[in-house]
Amino acid sequence: MTGLVHRGLAGQVVEMLREQILTGVLPPGSRLNEVEIARDLGISRGPLREAIGQLVSEGLLVHVPNKGAAVFAARPEDVAALFELRAALECAAARMAAHRRRPQEVIRLRKVCERSRKARETGRKLPYDLDLDFHRSLMEAAHSPRIAEQVWLVQQQVIVLRSGLTSRTAHTETSLTDHEAMAGAVAEGDADLAAGLMKAHLALVETELLQTMQSEARNEEAPGAHRTGRTAP
């Protein structure tokens, strides 16, 4: 970590910690050492605690009694609740987007898909920021700020869970194909298709996430098992 300038200090710390959490540098369940972080950044613990409080309110961090703040983690049985909420919100948003989209919003959706496709063709995983950019663009087309705010909070938690996994899945190509189909449905104003595609997309993401979590849990329980690294979502 490097020192930070003092303008908007707490906000800068929020974004730095958010990036490390979403990319798996700070994996699910890991505890934040406030003394160490403050020392490495060359700041007092006041702005750091303010930043931690913001990330707790977003659900990326949780307070652990007598241990301080730790990165959000969930058991496989908790994942269903996250995706129930996400499906309810995002299917409604997809339907709204098909009704309310403006030409420039359709253009942005397609451009995000194009950037993602180019990244895929170079052999890269679909970066979490491009995945989020698509869903944010869809939220903008839906013109429902309250839904967008809640979707953002849930999406972050799902990204955190995926960041803690070592396995790569087929989710990258599947997500990209789904995004392209949803962009087309929104562009055509087909609300039923857009919502249906979103529902199927999220169901598949949930299934893949659960399967990977359960598989890695079994591997960790096996004699002599150890983890060798993490991948970003």
Side-chain angles (χ1 to χ4, degrees):
M1 298 180 185
T2 59
L4 299 175
V5 298
H6 288 281
R7 189 182 69 178
L9 189 55
Q12 291 181 65
V13 177
V14 166
E15 294 310 314
M16 182 204 69
L17 291 176
R18 189 201 312 281
E19 177 74 10
Q20 293 190 345
I21 293 168
L22 294 181
T23 57
V25 173
L26 291 172
S30 61
R31 187 172 69 87
L32 271 64
N33 186 320
E34 291 187 18
V35 174
E36 181 179 304
I37 294 173
R39 183 187 66 238
D40 289 348
L41 293 178
I43 63 175
S44 69
R45 293 174 69 179
L48 176 58
R49 287 176 173 170
E50 184 180 344
I52 288 172
Q54 173 62 35
L55 293 173
V56 167
S57 73
E58 293 184 18
L60 286 180
L61 295 176
V62 294
H63 279 301
V64 181
N66 304 316
K67 293 185 177 180
V71 178
F72 165 78
R75 301 165 299 174
E77 54 266 34
D78 298 323
V79 173
L82 280 176
F83 275 88
E84 280 182 358
L85 178 57
R86 187 172 176 183
L89 293 169
E90 293 201 64
C91 288
R95 187 176 294 279
M96 292 176 186
H99 287 307
R100 302 175 179 177
R101 83 279 187 235
R102 297 169 181 165
Q104 64 269 29
E105 291 158 350
V106 172
I107 291 172
R108 183 178 177 188
L109 277 171
R110 293 196 184 280
K111 284 186 175 180
V112 173
C113 290
E114 289 173 5
R115 293 202 306 272
S116 300
R117 177 59 66 185
K118 288 180 180 178
R120 176 63 175 168
E121 289 173 351
T122 61
R124 295 168 54 200
K125 293 179 64 185
L126 180 61
Y128 84 86
D129 55 334
L130 283 177
D131 188 27
L132 280 181
D133 200 14
F134 175 84
H135 288 273
R136 285 172 178 163
S137 298
L138 189 67
M139 293 305 110
E140 289 179 5
H143 296 278
S144 179
R146 289 185 179 274
I147 288 181
E149 180 181 0
Q150 295 306 310
V151 166
W152 165 236
L153 297 178
V154 181
Q155 283 175 337
Q156 287 189 118
Q157 292 183 317
V158 173
I159 290 172
V160 172
L161 295 181
R162 292 178 63 197
S163 75
L165 302 175
T166 61
S167 302
R168 294 175 182 267
T169 70
H171 176 59
T172 298
E173 178 62 29
T174 302
S175 290
L176 179 50
T177 302
D178 288 348
H179 289 178
E180 291 168 341
M182 280 186 273
V186 169
E188 294 296 323
D190 192 331
D192 289 339
L193 179 58
L197 288 167
M198 179 64 78
K199 182 177 181 179
H201 169 68
L202 293 176
L204 182 59
V205 173
E206 178 184 3
T207 297
E208 290 177 342
L209 177 59
L210 281 171
Q211 288 176 344
T212 306
M213 291 176 68
Q214 291 164 350
S215 175
E216 293 196 2
R218 288 193 295 269
N219 290 338
E220 287 185 346
E221 292 170 359
H226 66 281
R227 305 188 77 167
T228 59
R230 300 180 183 274
T231 59

